[in-house]
Amino acid sequence: MSKESVSLAVEIKKNGIPSFWVNTADMQEAYSLEVKGWTKKVHWKESTVTGAGLGVFASELIPKGTSYRILKDEQNLIVFKGPEDIPPLTEATKSVIGNYILQIDGLCFIMVPGSTVNHNSQGANTKVEKISNIEVHGVATVDIGIGEELFCDYVEFGEPPKWLADFSKTYNIPMPFKGYNDFL
């Protein structure tokens, strides 16, 4: 990863999510695929999921089993062990937590920036794999053709840790976990 992405994660932890991230297109356009950890070419446009906003689409074939995005703590991933790890609670931070916080195998985190891989339980073609307590990968579960939208099943995120569920209720922040939003 580049020094730019290390600085980005550190800057977010210190100052909060940049305010322009509330606009998903601006958030995605602000950083290179390399800084974001993408190993395959992708692009963003209106999702095929009604009401989802932007989605991410393959710009090249992504073969089954490919780690198409590699995320590492302090680079393009921020790991949360408790509420003390949440960046300063700006409106943009609340928005990003509400849209992009995940939990896989006990590891709670946000991708920097979020991927915009939307939920589709029937059409999921990706999953997030925990590699270690400081690294996760986005992995294709089937071959994803050029122009196809990337989806995952948010139900696989399981239950948020208790501290995060309490945080969500305290600050009235919906999250991409079953029972914490109006679409799962």
Side-chain angles (χ1 to χ4, degrees):
M1 291 291 133
S2 71
K3 184 177 180 181
E4 179 184 346
S5 61
V6 173
S7 300
L8 179 60
V10 170
E11 190 68 23
I12 287 170
K13 287 174 90 172
K14 179 180 174 187
N15 297 317
I17 300 294
S19 60
F20 71 89
W21 280 25
V22 296
N23 181 307
T24 307
D26 290 348
M27 173 180 72
Q28 295 301 341
E29 290 172 6
Y31 311 100
S32 69
L33 292 176
E34 177 187 42
V35 165
K36 293 185 274 189
W38 291 91
T39 65
K40 293 292 183 180
K41 292 180 182 166
V42 296
H43 61 279
W44 288 265
K45 66 180 184 179
E46 194 67 26
S47 177
T48 60
V49 176
T50 303
L54 285 187
V56 61
F57 294 78
S59 297
E60 66 178 300
L61 174 67
I62 304 174
K64 179 180 180 178
T66 299
S67 290
Y68 61 81
R69 191 170 184 199
I70 297 173
L71 301 122
K72 296 181 180 181
D73 193 31
E74 299 292 326
Q75 294 178 11
N76 55 1
L77 182 76
I78 299 175
V79 173
F80 301 117
K81 296 178 183 126
E84 66 279 359
D85 295 323
I86 300 281
L89 206 54
T90 63
E91 289 305 311
T93 299
K94 289 178 186 178
S95 175
V96 167
I97 288 171
N99 288 305
Y100 298 108
I101 199 161
L102 316 179
Q103 183 279 137
I104 299 292
D105 295 332
L107 186 69
C108 187
F109 57 90
I110 58 171
M111 300 173 182
V112 179
S115 291
T116 66
V117 173
N118 289 312
H119 169 71
N120 184 330
S121 60
Q122 301 302 314
N125 54 14
T126 74
K127 64 180 177 178
V128 180
E129 286 187 0
K130 176 182 170 183
I131 304 303
S132 71
N133 285 333
I134 60 168
E135 184 173 345
V136 298
H137 291 186
V139 178
T141 57
V142 298
D143 289 346
I144 303 170
I146 295 170
E148 290 183 28
E149 187 168 4
L150 281 66
F151 293 113
C152 66
D153 183 356
Y154 291 5
V155 174
E156 291 184 11
F157 302 158
E159 292 290 320
K162 182 177 180 343
W163 71 263
L164 183 57
D166 292 345
F167 182 86
S168 169
K169 289 176 186 167
T170 298
Y171 294 99
N172 197 28
I173 300 172
M175 299 183 299
F177 295 96
K178 190 172 185 173
Y180 291 85
N181 58 61
D182 59 4
F183 60 89
L184 283 182

